[in-house]
Amino acid sequence: MKTIAIIDCAIDELAIACYNRLLQLEFPVSYHSAPDFGTSTFEDLNNFFGAFIFGSNSNIRDKEPWHNDLAKWALSALKNDF
């Protein structure tokens, strides 16, 4: 089943409340933690209708490995009219 990917970039306090609210509204959503798993849980764009990418206190200048992975994924999604 296709879902809307909820991509949480939180490094301290997860955005579970936002995800839970979307579940309550009966949106077909799936939760993905970019800092913990990079893009490994949401690589295949065919599994999703779209995505919400939540913010973070992490700064792109920190150059965490998942920053580049997520940026490449987002650019690919945009190029494919995701």
Side-chain angles (χ1 to χ4, degrees), residues 16-44:
I16 295 294
C18 295
Y19 171 73
N20 286 339
R21 180 66 178 133
L22 291 168
L23 281 176
Q24 289 172 347
L25 295 172
E26 299 184 10
F27 283 100
V29 293
S30 56
Y31 182 85
H32 308 272
S33 175
D36 291 327
F37 303 106
T39 59
S40 67
T41 63
F42 56 94
E43 286 177 331
D44 187 353

Side-chain angles (χ1 to χ4, degrees), residues 1-19:
M1 176 171 125
K2 283 190 171 189
T3 64
I4 300 168
I6 305 302
I7 303 169
D8 194 351
C9 297
I11 54 173
D12 292 324
E13 188 175 328
L14 301 177
I16 295 294
C18 295
Y19 171 73

